[in-house]
Amino acid sequence: MKPCMRHLAAGVTATLLLFNFSATAHAAVADASSADATLAGSPADAFVFVSGWNPHAGPDGNRSGLAPAFDPYGSGAWTLLDKYDHRADFRNLGPLRFTFSETSSTTGVWSVTNTSATTGVTLDLAFAIHAGSPGAAWLFDDQAILPGQTLDGTWEVRWTNRAGVPPDFSSLALFGRDVVFAPVPEPGAVGMLLAGLGVLFLRRRQRS
């Protein structure tokens, strides 16, 4: 009887040790990739996954996880554009306005709109999600947004938590850098420019 009890105790101890080991295992990047966030039908140009990183943290967001990975794509400093969680929606104070929604706890859609009617913008746009302990960011390099244009995107959490499943979405932060504003001429101004170029062309032909 005692040997049986010893075997049973050993089995229970091994099971508890295995459970404890699994519970302390770190989250994993798993199948997460640059294709998990899209904008205007295209996947991100780069992706980074960082354990223990919350890009939403602090009044200005936390750029520490994305800066080293995205450095090769630009040179400017990252600035928080806006952020979102279940307690606070976007502030939408700047010319770029964002939307975000969840179709499940790990998937959803988002968008960015250029509210200016006359000025286009090109920027490095980083879309950063915190879910579970880790954070992940997707870079849309040199993203152009025309005046009044809305670009729609999708997102998905595909990394895994300690239980081996994707964790629920927690919060979002959006960062930008290398921002270039480009005024777009009015249609009448474009017509006048083309007419002027036509006159110059005709004069050159007459002289020749």
Side-chain angles (χ1 to χ4, degrees), residues 81-121:
L81 300 176
D82 217 330
K83 59 182 184 176
Y84 166 93
D85 64 17
H86 293 134
R87 296 170 297 176
D89 204 345
F90 293 116
R91 294 171 295 174
N92 277 329
L93 300 177
L96 296 181
R97 304 292 175 88
F98 300 95
T99 67
F100 181 90
S101 64
E102 301 169 64
T103 53
S104 74
S105 61
T106 58
T107 60
V109 296
W110 67 291
S111 74
V112 54
T113 298
N114 180 1
T115 60
S116 173
T118 59
T119 303
V121 60

Side-chain angles (χ1 to χ4, degrees), residues 4-186:
C4 291
M5 291 301 293
R6 280 204 239 20
H7 286 304
L8 179 59
V12 170
T13 302
T15 302
L16 290 174
L17 287 172
L18 180 61
F19 175 80
N20 187 54
F21 175 80
S22 300
T24 57
H26 294 295
V29 66
D31 295 326
S33 72
S34 60
D36 298 335
T38 68
L39 188 61
S42 298
D45 297 294
F47 166 75
V48 63
F49 170 87
V50 182
S51 293
W53 173 49
N54 180 3
H56 186 274
D60 298 319
N62 181 351
R63 314 160 185 79
S64 63
L66 60 87
F70 295 163
D71 277 352
Y73 294 85
S75 57
W78 289 102
T79 300
L80 178 70
L81 300 176
D82 217 330
K83 59 182 184 176
Y84 166 93
D85 64 17
H86 293 134
R87 296 170 297 176
D89 204 345
F90 293 116
R91 294 171 295 174
N92 277 329
L93 300 177
L96 296 181
R97 304 292 175 88
F98 300 95
T99 67
F100 181 90
S101 64
E102 301 169 64
T103 53
S104 74
S105 61
T106 58
T107 60
V109 296
W110 67 291
S111 74
V112 54
T113 298
N114 180 1
T115 60
S116 173
T118 59
T119 303
V121 60
T122 301
L123 76 164
D124 289 349
L125 177 61
F127 176 88
I129 282 180
H130 181 229
S133 171
W138 294 263
L139 170 67
F140 297 92
D141 186 39
D142 292 333
Q143 181 64 58
I145 313 173
L146 299 176
Q149 184 179 31
T150 295
L151 301 180
D152 296 314
T154 62
W155 62 270
E156 182 174 5
V157 173
R158 290 170 58 86
W159 60 89
T160 56
N161 58 20
R162 293 175 178 177
V165 297
D168 293 348
F169 165 83
S170 177
S171 60
L172 167 73
L174 293 131
F175 301 93
R177 72 171 178 188
D178 297 343
V179 182
V180 177
F181 293 101
V184 176
E186 296 291 334

